[in-house]
Amino acid sequence: MTQDNRPTALITGASRGLGSALAEALAPTHHIIAVGKTTGALEELDDRIKAAGGQATLAPMDINVDAAMQQLCRSIFDRWGKLDVWMHTAVFAAPLSPAGHMPAKDFDKSVETNIKSTARLISYIAPLLGADGRAAFFDDPRAGEAFFGAYGSTKAAQIAMARSWQAESVKTGPHVRIVTPEPMPTAVRGRFFPGENREKLADIRAEAARLLPQILG
């Protein structure tokens, strides 16, 4: 299989953490379209992918910028005509706070990133995936836990939206997967649980390897 005809895999939130690990795990078989806000981290990912013989297209973009996401999806259509895989790992993890003292700006950004932007992306990406493509969302069930008001509620809403799309597309496609990673030593978890013994957490690359068969199968 040549680089030009490899299946395409869009990863939103590819700069670091699980998104980056999934990009590396898919790179031997897919052309990676890596979306993230941190240009330097995307370039480092690109170096690792190229060193392993893969190829990536970098998209240093913010998923909350609607015009940028429209441009991204149009560019994918113009270049490839379709998309084979979409993995949505981008998330805003608001600082922990009591529900009665939740900063409005943190909650607003949580709603914008975790709910509104996900909804827009689904509407833009679904036509690219068609009947045979695959989309994956990553659950982190924190809804109802103390101090997780902003993150827990908006992440739960994101997953609820994904489950609706999954139910709607059973007969028509695309294939929507919702998977639950084991706790990993990501930057997001580090903000939630500072001082945690990270040696007991799952290796990020190992988790990517474990989850891929669930997503692609």
Side-chain angles (χ1 to χ4, degrees), residues 38-118:
T38 310
T39 301
L42 289 178
E43 291 173 344
E44 291 172 3
L45 170 64
D46 187 41
D47 290 342
R48 295 193 299 272
I49 288 174
K50 286 179 178 176
Q55 191 174 59
T57 296
L58 305 184
M61 297 175 168
D62 184 344
I63 65 166
N64 291 330
V65 179
D66 187 35
M69 294 301 97
Q70 290 186 37
Q71 178 189 353
L72 171 70
C73 292
R74 179 69 201 200
S75 297
I76 291 171
F77 177 78
D78 288 345
R79 180 171 177 181
W80 291 285
K82 66 169 188 173
L83 187 64
D84 295 290
V85 180
W86 171 37
M87 299 186 183
H88 187 47
T89 64
V91 70
F92 176 65
L96 301 184
S97 66
H101 299 278
M102 194 186 309
K105 64 179 180 63
D106 289 338
F107 185 70
D108 289 346
K109 188 171 182 180
S110 299
V111 170
E112 182 66 29
T113 305
N114 301 341
I115 304 176
K116 290 184 177 180
S117 290
T118 301

Side-chain angles (χ1 to χ4, degrees), residues 1-216:
M1 183 182 294
T2 66
Q3 293 281 12
D4 290 338
N5 63 11
R6 286 185 177 188
T8 50
L10 170 66
I11 302 178
T12 40
S15 299
R16 297 186 177 90
L18 183 60
S20 178
L22 287 166
E24 289 187 67
L26 268 178
T29 55
H30 290 68
H31 182 101
I32 304 299
I33 306 162
V35 177
K37 292 191 295 184
T38 310
T39 301
L42 289 178
E43 291 173 344
E44 291 172 3
L45 170 64
D46 187 41
D47 290 342
R48 295 193 299 272
I49 288 174
K50 286 179 178 176
Q55 191 174 59
T57 296
L58 305 184
M61 297 175 168
D62 184 344
I63 65 166
N64 291 330
V65 179
D66 187 35
M69 294 301 97
Q70 290 186 37
Q71 178 189 353
L72 171 70
C73 292
R74 179 69 201 200
S75 297
I76 291 171
F77 177 78
D78 288 345
R79 180 171 177 181
W80 291 285
K82 66 169 188 173
L83 187 64
D84 295 290
V85 180
W86 171 37
M87 299 186 183
H88 187 47
T89 64
V91 70
F92 176 65
L96 301 184
S97 66
H101 299 278
M102 194 186 309
K105 64 179 180 63
D106 289 338
F107 185 70
D108 289 346
K109 188 171 182 180
S110 299
V111 170
E112 182 66 29
T113 305
N114 301 341
I115 304 176
K116 290 184 177 180
S117 290
T118 301
R120 284 196 298 265
L121 285 168
I122 289 172
S123 70
Y124 297 157
I125 294 172
L128 293 171
L129 291 172
D132 299 324
R134 280 167 168 71
F137 298 85
F138 301 86
D139 199 5
D140 185 15
R142 297 286 174 191
E145 292 189 13
F147 308 111
F148 276 93
Y151 175 76
S153 62
T154 57
K155 183 64 177 175
Q158 180 193 83
I159 296 301
M161 190 186 315
R163 291 195 188 282
S164 291
W165 187 26
Q166 182 182 55
E168 294 154 6
S169 61
V170 168
K171 294 183 179 180
T172 62
H175 307 283
V176 179
R177 305 287 191 248
I178 299 164
V179 297
T180 305
E182 295 294 328
M184 299 169 291
T186 61
V188 168
R189 188 173 179 89
R191 288 196 293 272
F192 288 155
F193 302 103
E196 180 181 39
N197 183 356
R198 294 166 75 84
E199 293 181 358
K200 296 182 178 180
L201 302 178
D203 178 78
I204 296 174
R205 286 184 171 82
E207 270 302 280
R210 183 182 73 84
L211 294 171
L212 272 183
Q214 300 179 38
I215 296 167
L216 301 178

